[in-house]
Amino acid sequence: MTYPTVTVRSLLAVGALALSLTALAVFAALCPAAPFVPTGPTVSFTEYVQPASAASPPFAAILFVPVTWLPVATLKAVVVVGNVLLLALLVRLSWRFAAHRHAPTPVPTATSVPTPVRFSLPSVPVPVLSWVPVLLCVAVALWLEPVLWTVLFGEIGLALTCVVLWDLTRPDHALGKGFALGVVAGVELAPALFIAYLLLAGRPDAVRAGLTALGSLVGTMLLGALVLPGASLDFWTLRVFETGRAGEGWTTDNQSLQGLFARALHTTEPGVGWAVACVVITFAGLWLARRAVVRKGLETWGILVTALTALLVSPVSWSHHWVWCVPLLAVLLAEGRWRTAAAVALVFAARTFRLVPHEGGAELRLPWWQQPLASPYALLGLALLAYVAYRCHAPRTRTVTRRRVTAPAAQLPASNSSASTIR
């Protein structure tokens, strides 16, 4: 039986994680609002009233019924420890996700024979991230604002992101690919945009996964209608269109386009401008994600673009919903873009939107120079979409093979033929 070797690096990794967790515990003790576990009316299958602030389908309530069986103190501990473990899992999944390399799609020419191109993850050895870097990454990632508040507020964003990332990075021929994505979309509606991404990916295996995810999503709706028929009818016919039920969309905690528009226009109802922008960004994001895969073979960026688009167009994307910053940073680091990764990490760690005035509706009276500080994630998402669009629009390298052209002997001049004969 072999035991892992204790090295200086492993001791430093364990020490860094222990220090980070200790600081987290101190921060949670000093912050009166954390850790926070939502408490509301007990879910009952005989009578269920959709909470006024709930924005998830009734299937989510059915899925989390076992949570109500635990005492609140135990539930808080389980949620915090579980989220830390999920962060470690997300780091490993993000590394595997970012370590894949896709060759650009060959440029068709008039004389080339088209060959089928598969965009599934290549069957090449992927570097495995050992437990020492995982501990270091967890110790650092805990202090990214979306991750920190996911852990302290007892949110499920890390769990949903892990499931989506795992399902999307499975080989295209994997059995049941897309099923887990459909279940996640039945819990939170925003990931449903990944289903459209799969259906538009332009290859049969991805379409099959998209149809599987769509069927899984419909299955969650049918299960919710079977167990909670009244709540399901109320949600899918009325509540799903009430974008303000999740909270005040104009607050700085909302880092979606709705929050950006509301604060920039100094109004609680951004109106038609925001709606039009959401439609444009949705179609542009899906088109860009497909282009990144089909034109450049960048499936990693295709998935990231879809995630950023979903976060931008969602009526409410609280800051802790942006845990996709972990795979985003992994991709940037894997590509060797250290400065860009440092800038992105700084945006997610600076918490500038918490520094601007935000009491008594002060977010609606911010001057122009404070607007970027109030909407850092939304502006960063738009900048990243523009960056991917630039990469996809850049001219592709084309390999040109020069062939020597020899003139027929009958067309050679007589003098040249005579000269060559004499020589």
Side-chain angles (χ1 to χ4, degrees), residues 102-330:
H102 300 273
T105 306
V107 180
T109 60
T111 59
S112 62
V113 178
T115 57
V117 179
R118 295 181 61 86
F119 295 97
S120 59
L121 298 179
S123 56
V124 296
V126 178
V128 178
L129 194 61
S130 63
W131 65 274
V132 173
V134 167
L135 295 184
L136 290 175
C137 291
V138 170
V140 174
L142 269 174
W143 297 98
L144 297 174
E145 192 274 340
V147 176
L148 177 64
W149 290 106
T150 296
V151 174
L152 294 182
F153 283 176
E155 296 291 339
I156 60 174
L158 287 171
L160 299 182
T161 305
C162 284
V163 174
V164 171
L165 199 59
W166 168 79
D167 200 9
L168 289 176
T169 54
R170 297 169 67 199
D172 281 342
H173 59 274
L175 180 64
K177 179 176 181 178
F179 179 83
L181 173 61
V183 174
V184 169
V187 176
E188 290 286 345
L189 297 180
L193 194 66
F194 285 104
I195 301 178
Y197 161 73
L198 291 174
L199 296 176
L200 296 174
R203 60 188 192 274
D205 290 333
V207 174
R208 186 182 307 112
L211 293 175
T212 302
L214 184 60
S216 178
L217 172 59
V218 174
T220 63
M221 297 170 61
L222 293 177
L223 180 59
L226 180 64
V227 179
L228 300 169
S232 297
L233 180 63
D234 180 63
F235 179 84
W236 292 111
T237 57
L238 297 176
R239 308 304 179 187
V240 71
F241 303 106
E242 297 176 358
T243 59
R245 299 181 69 241
E248 297 171 334
W250 45 267
T251 62
T252 54
D253 288 330
N254 182 20
Q255 290 295 307
S256 69
L257 285 178
Q258 183 186 25
L260 187 152
F261 271 71
R263 291 185 291 270
L265 299 176
H266 307 290
T267 176
T268 58
E269 298 293 338
V272 179
W274 161 67
V276 172
C278 285
V279 172
V280 172
I281 292 297
T282 299
F283 284 97
L286 290 174
W287 173 82
L288 184 59
R290 185 182 187 279
R291 188 176 179 86
V293 175
V294 174
R295 182 179 176 89
K296 292 292 185 178
L298 301 173
E299 191 162 354
T300 52
W301 281 105
I303 293 175
L304 287 176
V305 164
T306 306
L308 293 173
T309 303
L311 289 168
L312 287 171
V313 302
S314 177
V316 174
S317 291
W318 301 125
S319 62
H320 55 77
H321 290 170
W322 288 76
V323 290
W324 277 92
C325 62
V326 176
L328 170 62
L329 288 171

Side-chain angles (χ1 to χ4, degrees), residues 38 40 78 196 223 262 324 371 384 402 410 415:
V78 169
L223 180 59
W324 277 92
Q371 294 294 335
L384 288 172
R402 296 182 178 274
S415 59

